[in-house]
Amino acid sequence: MRRLISGTTYWNKGKDDFHLPPLTKDLETDVLIIGAGMSGTLCAYVLSQVEGLRITMVDTLQVAEGSSSANTGLLQVSSDTMLHEFMETIGEDKARGFYAMCQMAMEDLFDISETLSGTTIRKRKSLYCASSLKDVEKIRKEYDALKTQGMNVEYLEEVEVLNRYRVKCPSALLIDGDADVDPVAFIRTLTKHNLDAGVAVYPETEIALDTKRAHSIRTTEGHRISFKYCIFATGYAQKYDLVKDRIAINRTYAFITEPVGKEPWPEEVMIWETKNPYLYLRTTQDGRIVSGGLDEEKDELVENQAAIDEKVEELKGDIRKMMKDALALETHWSYNALFGTVKDGLPLLGKDPDRDNHFYILGYEGNGTCYSMAGARIIRNLILGEEDPFRDIVRLDR
Ligand SMILES: Cc1cc2nc3c(=O)[nH]c(=O)nc-3n(C[C@H](O)[C@H](O)[C@H](O)COP(=O)(O)OP(=O)(O)OC[C@H]3O[C@@H](n4cnc5c(N)ncnc54)[C@H](O)[C@@H]3O)c2cc1C
């Protein structure tokens, strides 16, 4: 399987304490989930609440060692495509439906956080900045769209953004209802819960995807897994034929600082901006700054740490231009990682068009955790034959 990250990420320091063995025999299960990242783990969590389902997860790596360990942990309702932009491209009903799906996913994540201790979700406001004067109009339009979507949003003029948040930009939206998370700790907490609920998890177990049949698949070691339902939660590592013409794999850069002391900017709002690629920064719950951006349309990793660090210096330069006050940006962790995008800006979640019992949860685009949560719910509803108001918006054969 291809590597997805180069450099050092912050979250995966310290190993999990599961000590789970790989799969060494044939196995029969109701639901097989391939991939133990954010998507697979949330699917297992949601499905573990259905009485009587035997659930098995496998992963080539350990739990949460794929792209989920590169996730910079912003949990937002807003996606990389603004609501009013989606209204122009896919129509108002679908656009509003899609944002409603994300609002519900955020609520689901908050519910999980209230139910399970140690889930590390912290409520935050986002400051969505116009990158230039020409984007002020976009921000105004988005304010109207989000307001009528029922979101708690404030429009801030240049002076207000500067005075209240110490950020330099021509205007911004202050959006309430978002959050941050340590993604790896979150997945590990869910995994502990899933194991207690009877989910079987096999790390270091790679699936040979070309052995896929309607009700079985094999590991690369040749063990046969028979299932009623199979969920492909394989992240950016696999380019499936049924979506390969609609997706692109790009690369991006991120870094995390040493602890910076007290609140580096007011309310520690999560900051991002309208231009593409955009710069984003937030604080972590242990007092660091995490930032990323400078995305490149290249489907290969930068392996050279000096080249990664050069990009990180560029990111720091952009932060200095954006922030009124000097920030302590001493860096210990910096990396380059691949990430997936979809041409129409929507994730790919739901049933294989040719097989009713195979499902994909491909939460491509920047707001991946929200999409993993939404996808887990959609797949649960499809398996149980229950109605789902959002499934047609994100279905694979849309
Ligand atoms: C730098 C960066 C920053 C990001 N920041 C954010 C953010 O702030 N907020 C946000 O919401 N999202 C963010 N994302 C996106 C987020 O990381 C992804 O949405 C998320 O990791 C996807 O989870 P996943 O479970 O689908 O994929 P993964 O975590 O990659 O899990 C897939 C798993 O499938 C396994 N697998 C693949 N093929 C096989 C096989 N054949 N057999 C067995 N196992 C297999 C892999 O080993 C892997 O562990 C970011 C992504 C990157 C790269």
Side-chain angles (χ1 to χ4, degrees):
M1 201 191 72
R2 72 182 306 200
R3 271 173 14 92
L4 299 165
I5 305 166
S6 147
T8 49
T9 62
Y10 176 64
W11 315 116
N12 57 1
K13 71 176 172 44
K15 280 278 165 202
D16 61 51
D17 50 7
F18 303 130
H19 308 297
L20 299 165
L23 185 68
T24 52
K25 57 178 180 359
D26 291 0
L27 184 135
E28 212 184 295
T29 185
D30 292 325
V31 184
L32 171 65
I33 302 174
I34 306 172
M38 187 64 84
S39 303
T41 303
L42 280 168
C43 279
Y45 176 76
V46 169
L47 289 170
S48 71
Q49 284 155 42
V50 177
E51 195 74 25
L53 270 187
R54 290 170 304 166
I55 303 166
T56 303
M57 297 180 76
V58 294
D59 199 304
T60 313
L61 306 171
Q62 297 291 330
V63 169
E65 273 194 351
S67 301
S68 296
S69 66
N71 185 340
T72 44
L74 289 86
L75 302 180
Q76 294 175 308
V77 171
S78 293
S79 82
D80 287 0
T81 307
M82 292 186 203
L83 173 56
H84 80 270
E85 291 172 333
F86 269 136
M87 281 156 61
E88 284 157 22
T89 55
I90 59 171
E92 178 157 1
D93 284 354
K94 278 191 187 158
R96 290 206 179 278
F98 178 62
Y99 265 59
M101 181 191 92
C102 296
Q103 286 170 288
M104 185 182 273
M106 286 297 294
E107 288 307 317
D108 284 346
L109 288 165
F110 288 136
D111 282 352
I112 292 176
S113 161
E114 274 166 29
T115 314
L116 304 182
S117 62
T119 41
T120 68
I121 289 183
R122 176 176 69 156
K123 288 193 177 171
R124 295 281 89 184
K125 289 178 183 168
S126 293
L127 189 72
Y128 190 19
C129 301
S131 306
S132 63
L133 275 176
K134 82 173 170 34
D135 284 353
V136 168
E137 185 55 29
K138 274 191 187 176
I139 282 282
R140 276 189 199 286
K141 276 193 181 171
E142 191 61 1
Y143 171 75
D144 291 337
L146 294 181
K147 254 314 211 213
T148 45
Q149 182 76 9
M151 284 174 62
N152 190 354
V153 53
E154 227 181 298
Y155 180 86
L156 305 180
E157 300 284 358
E158 183 171 5
V159 181
E160 265 180 302
V161 192
L162 190 66
N163 290 345
R164 279 172 65 177
Y165 294 107
R166 318 295 291 159
V167 177
K168 293 183 274 181
C169 69
S171 72
L173 298 182
L174 184 66
I175 303 172
D176 205 356
D178 291 340
D180 67 29
V181 69
D182 171 336
V184 170
F186 182 71
I187 293 170
R188 286 182 186 159
T189 301
L190 284 176
T191 302
K192 278 189 199 122
H193 177 278
N194 290 344
L195 289 166
D196 288 346
V199 175
V201 183
Y202 295 98
E204 296 171 42
T205 302
E206 181 159 12
I207 294 295
L209 293 164
D210 58 357
T211 63
K212 176 180 77 171
R213 300 283 178 272
H215 288 283
S216 72
I217 203 159
R218 286 185 186 275
T219 67
T220 50
E221 301 282 305
H223 302 300
R224 183 173 194 269
I225 307 179
S226 314
F227 52 77
K228 287 186 187 142
Y229 307 100
C230 184
I231 301 173
F232 297 85
T234 47
Y236 313 138
Q238 312 291 345
K239 284 187 194 168
Y240 297 99
D241 281 347
L242 77 166
V243 296
K244 73 173 189 313
D245 295 337
R246 283 182 288 152
I247 62 167
I249 303 293
N250 297 337
R251 68 185 182 207
T252 187
Y253 300 86
F255 72 88
I256 297 198
T257 67
E258 290 293 292
V260 293
K262 74 171 184 44
E263 198 175 73
W265 59 84
E267 295 172 40
E268 297 183 16
V269 287
M270 304 195 296
I271 300 167
W272 63 310
E273 55 166 346
T274 51
K275 77 176 181 202
N276 191 14
Y278 55 85
L279 169 74
Y280 59 92
L281 63 155
R282 71 168 182 93
T283 55
T284 64
Q285 292 167 40
D286 60 353
R288 301 165 194 275
I289 294 171
V290 50
S291 172
L294 296 177
D295 305 355
E296 295 168 328
E297 289 179 8
K298 298 238 167 72
D299 183 357
E300 61 185 317
L301 285 173
V302 172
E303 297 286 359
N304 176 335
Q305 188 62 43
I308 295 172
D309 289 341
E310 222 171 90
K311 287 288 185 180
V312 165
E313 286 310 310
E314 209 178 318
L315 280 173
K316 289 181 185 175
D318 291 344
I319 293 174
R320 286 186 197 105
K321 276 187 226 148
M322 194 182 215
M323 303 302 285
K324 171 79 175 147
D325 305 319
L327 300 176
L329 295 175
E330 195 191 321
T331 308
H332 235 84
W333 293 269
S334 59
Y335 54 95
N336 173 234
L338 299 180
F339 74 98
T341 60
V342 187
K343 280 184 188 155
D344 64 6
L346 298 166
L348 296 148
L349 312 170
K351 192 175 81 59
D352 183 330
D354 298 322
R355 284 202 208 271
D356 283 349
N357 65 328
H358 290 191
F359 304 94
Y360 290 82
I361 177 162
L362 305 174
Y364 290 13
E365 295 287 313
N367 215 5
T369 310
C370 206
Y371 303 156
S372 298
M373 185 71 249
R377 185 192 266 271
I378 288 172
I379 290 171
R380 172 210 175 270
N381 291 344
L382 285 165
I383 287 179
L384 298 185
E386 292 182 8
E387 278 302 308
D388 188 287
F390 309 118
R391 70 179 191 203
D392 285 344
I393 302 172
V394 290
R395 58 195 275 174
L396 275 72
D397 56 348
R398 59 181 175 255

